[in-house]
PDB file of all heavy atoms in Angstrom:
ATOM      1  N   ALA V 212      10.150   8.100 -17.880  1.00  0.00           N
ATOM      2  CA  ALA V 212       8.842   8.770 -17.964  1.00  0.00           C
ATOM      3  C   ALA V 212       9.078  10.150 -18.569  1.00  0.00           C
ATOM      4  O   ALA V 212       9.789  10.973 -17.996  1.00  0.00           O
ATOM      5  CB  ALA V 212       8.229   8.892 -16.580  1.00  0.00           C
ATOM      6  N   ASN V 214       7.546  13.569 -19.655  1.00  0.00           N
ATOM      7  CA  ASN V 214       6.329  14.335 -19.327  1.00  0.00           C
ATOM      8  C   ASN V 214       6.322  15.674 -20.056  1.00  0.00           C
ATOM      9  O   ASN V 214       7.352  16.331 -20.167  1.00  0.00           O
ATOM     10  CB  ASN V 214       6.277  14.618 -17.822  1.00  0.00           C
ATOM     11  CG  ASN V 214       6.409  13.355 -16.985  1.00  0.00           C
ATOM     12  OD1 ASN V 214       5.575  12.479 -17.069  1.00  0.00           O
ATOM     13  ND2 ASN V 214       7.478  13.267 -16.203  1.00  0.00           N
ATOM     14  N   TYR V 216       4.090  19.277 -19.970  1.00  0.00           N
ATOM     15  CA  TYR V 216       3.074  20.077 -19.272  1.00  0.00           C
ATOM     16  C   TYR V 216       2.825  21.342 -20.090  1.00  0.00           C
ATOM     17  O   TYR V 216       3.666  22.250 -20.085  1.00  0.00           O
ATOM     18  CB  TYR V 216       3.553  20.473 -17.866  1.00  0.00           C
ATOM     19  CG  TYR V 216       4.025  19.295 -17.034  1.00  0.00           C
ATOM     20  CD1 TYR V 216       5.371  18.909 -17.030  1.00  0.00           C
ATOM     21  CD2 TYR V 216       3.138  18.577 -16.245  1.00  0.00           C
ATOM     22  CE1 TYR V 216       5.811  17.823 -16.268  1.00  0.00           C
ATOM     23  CE2 TYR V 216       3.555  17.494 -15.478  1.00  0.00           C
ATOM     24  CZ  TYR V 216       4.894  17.129 -15.499  1.00  0.00           C
ATOM     25  OH  TYR V 216       5.321  16.063 -14.735  1.00  0.00           O
ATOM     26  N   LEU V 228       1.195  17.260 -12.089  1.00  0.00           N
ATOM     27  CA  LEU V 228       1.270  15.881 -11.609  1.00  0.00           C
ATOM     28  C   LEU V 228       0.998  15.931 -10.105  1.00  0.00           C
ATOM     29  O   LEU V 228       1.638  16.694  -9.395  1.00  0.00           O
ATOM     30  CB  LEU V 228       2.680  15.331 -11.890  1.00  0.00           C
ATOM     31  CG  LEU V 228       2.892  13.840 -11.957  1.00  0.00           C
ATOM     32  CD1 LEU V 228       2.008  13.181 -13.010  1.00  0.00           C
ATOM     33  CD2 LEU V 228       4.348  13.525 -12.275  1.00  0.00           C
ATOM     34  N   HIS V 231       3.163  12.521  -5.161  1.00  0.00           N
ATOM     35  CA  HIS V 231       3.408  11.075  -5.137  1.00  0.00           C
ATOM     36  C   HIS V 231       4.869  10.849  -4.801  1.00  0.00           C
ATOM     37  O   HIS V 231       5.667  11.792  -4.802  1.00  0.00           O
ATOM     38  CB  HIS V 231       3.090  10.438  -6.503  1.00  0.00           C
ATOM     39  CG  HIS V 231       4.029  10.897  -7.589  1.00  0.00           C
ATOM     40  ND1 HIS V 231       3.921  12.121  -8.204  1.00  0.00           N
ATOM     41  CD2 HIS V 231       5.118  10.300  -8.148  1.00  0.00           C
ATOM     42  CE1 HIS V 231       4.885  12.254  -9.109  1.00  0.00           C
ATOM     43  NE2 HIS V 231       5.640  11.160  -9.077  1.00  0.00           N
ATOM     44  N   ASP V 233       8.055   8.098  -6.086  1.00  0.00           N
ATOM     45  CA  ASP V 233       8.313   7.103  -7.129  1.00  0.00           C
ATOM     46  C   ASP V 233       8.611   5.779  -6.456  1.00  0.00           C
ATOM     47  O   ASP V 233       9.223   5.731  -5.392  1.00  0.00           O
ATOM     48  CB  ASP V 233       9.516   7.536  -7.984  1.00  0.00           C
ATOM     49  CG  ASP V 233       9.235   8.848  -8.721  1.00  0.00           C
ATOM     50  OD1 ASP V 233       8.043   9.171  -8.931  1.00  0.00           O
ATOM     51  OD2 ASP V 233      10.212   9.539  -9.066  1.00  0.00           O
ATOM     52  N   LEU V 240      16.183  12.998 -12.602  1.00  0.00           N
ATOM     53  CA  LEU V 240      15.222  13.807 -13.344  1.00  0.00           C
ATOM     54  C   LEU V 240      15.880  14.997 -14.035  1.00  0.00           C
ATOM     55  O   LEU V 240      16.747  15.669 -13.464  1.00  0.00           O
ATOM     56  CB  LEU V 240      14.142  14.298 -12.367  1.00  0.00           C
ATOM     57  CG  LEU V 240      12.943  14.956 -13.035  1.00  0.00           C
ATOM     58  CD1 LEU V 240      11.653  14.280 -12.599  1.00  0.00           C
ATOM     59  CD2 LEU V 240      12.870  16.417 -12.726  1.00  0.00           C
ATOM     60  N   LEU V 247       9.192  21.313 -10.831  1.00  0.00           N
ATOM     61  CA  LEU V 247       9.192  20.228  -9.845  1.00  0.00           C
ATOM     62  C   LEU V 247       9.191  20.819  -8.444  1.00  0.00           C
ATOM     63  O   LEU V 247       9.957  21.745  -8.159  1.00  0.00           O
ATOM     64  CB  LEU V 247      10.438  19.349 -10.026  1.00  0.00           C
ATOM     65  CG  LEU V 247      10.627  18.258  -8.968  1.00  0.00           C
ATOM     66  CD1 LEU V 247       9.586  17.167  -9.088  1.00  0.00           C
ATOM     67  CD2 LEU V 247      12.032  17.670  -9.042  1.00  0.00           C
ATOM     68  N   HIS V 287       6.777  14.326  -4.133  1.00  0.00           N
ATOM     69  CA  HIS V 287       6.983  15.451  -5.061  1.00  0.00           C
ATOM     70  C   HIS V 287       5.774  15.611  -5.968  1.00  0.00           C
ATOM     71  O   HIS V 287       4.910  14.734  -6.038  1.00  0.00           O
ATOM     72  CB  HIS V 287       8.265  15.227  -5.880  1.00  0.00           C
ATOM     73  CG  HIS V 287       8.305  13.932  -6.623  1.00  0.00           C
ATOM     74  ND1 HIS V 287       8.569  12.722  -6.014  1.00  0.00           N
ATOM     75  CD2 HIS V 287       8.098  13.635  -7.933  1.00  0.00           C
ATOM     76  CE1 HIS V 287       8.532  11.756  -6.906  1.00  0.00           C
ATOM     77  NE2 HIS V 287       8.231  12.282  -8.096  1.00  0.00           N
ATOM     78  N   ALA V 289       4.384  18.137  -9.709  1.00  0.00           N
ATOM     79  CA  ALA V 289       4.801  19.092 -10.744  1.00  0.00           C
ATOM     80  C   ALA V 289       3.702  20.145 -10.880  1.00  0.00           C
ATOM     81  O   ALA V 289       2.515  19.813 -10.954  1.00  0.00           O
ATOM     82  CB  ALA V 289       5.009  18.370 -12.066  1.00  0.00           C
ATOM     83  N   ARG V 297       6.408  22.932 -20.385  1.00  0.00           N
ATOM     84  CA  ARG V 297       7.542  22.340 -19.667  1.00  0.00           C
ATOM     85  C   ARG V 297       7.691  20.860 -20.016  1.00  0.00           C
ATOM     86  O   ARG V 297       6.695  20.148 -20.135  1.00  0.00           O
ATOM     87  CB  ARG V 297       7.317  22.494 -18.160  1.00  0.00           C
ATOM     88  CG  ARG V 297       8.351  21.818 -17.297  1.00  0.00           C
ATOM     89  CD  ARG V 297       8.153  22.143 -15.834  1.00  0.00           C
ATOM     90  NE  ARG V 297       9.084  21.417 -15.023  1.00  0.00           N
ATOM     91  CZ  ARG V 297       8.839  20.217 -14.487  1.00  0.00           C
ATOM     92  NH1 ARG V 297       7.670  19.648 -14.634  1.00  0.00           N
ATOM     93  NH2 ARG V 297       9.766  19.613 -13.775  1.00  0.00           N
ATOM     94  N   SER V 299       9.797  17.272 -18.820  1.00  0.00           N
ATOM     95  CA  SER V 299      10.683  16.642 -17.845  1.00  0.00           C
ATOM     96  C   SER V 299      10.885  15.186 -18.253  1.00  0.00           C
ATOM     97  O   SER V 299      10.003  14.586 -18.879  1.00  0.00           O
ATOM     98  CB  SER V 299      10.117  16.716 -16.425  1.00  0.00           C
ATOM     99  OG  SER V 299       9.044  15.836 -16.267  1.00  0.00           O
ATOM    100  N   ALA V 301      11.952  11.735 -16.380  1.00  0.00           N
ATOM    101  CA  ALA V 301      12.287  11.053 -15.120  1.00  0.00           C
ATOM    102  C   ALA V 301      12.764   9.656 -15.457  1.00  0.00           C
ATOM    103  O   ALA V 301      12.045   8.881 -16.081  1.00  0.00           O
ATOM    104  CB  ALA V 301      11.048  10.985 -14.227  1.00  0.00           C
TER     105      ALA V 301
HETATM  106  O1  AKG B 500       7.752  16.572 -14.105  1.00  0.00           O
HETATM  107  C1  AKG B 500       8.308  16.470 -13.019  1.00  0.00           C
HETATM  108  O2  AKG B 500       9.094  17.294 -12.576  1.00  0.00           O
HETATM  109  C2  AKG B 500       8.012  15.280 -12.150  1.00  0.00           C
HETATM  110  C3  AKG B 500       7.853  13.987 -12.908  1.00  0.00           C
HETATM  111  C4  AKG B 500       7.628  12.850 -11.996  1.00  0.00           C
HETATM  112  O3  AKG B 500       7.538  12.996 -10.815  1.00  0.00           O
HETATM  113  C5  AKG B 500       7.491  11.489 -12.523  1.00  0.00           C
HETATM  114  O4  AKG B 500       7.483  11.299 -13.752  1.00  0.00           O
HETATM  115  O5  AKG B 500       7.411  10.570 -11.688  1.00  0.00           O
END
Side-chain angles (χ1 to χ4, degrees):
N214 307 297
Y216 307 92
L228 202 57
H231 67 282
D233 297 337
L240 190 125
L247 174 70
H287 55 283
R297 175 173 176 268
S299 73

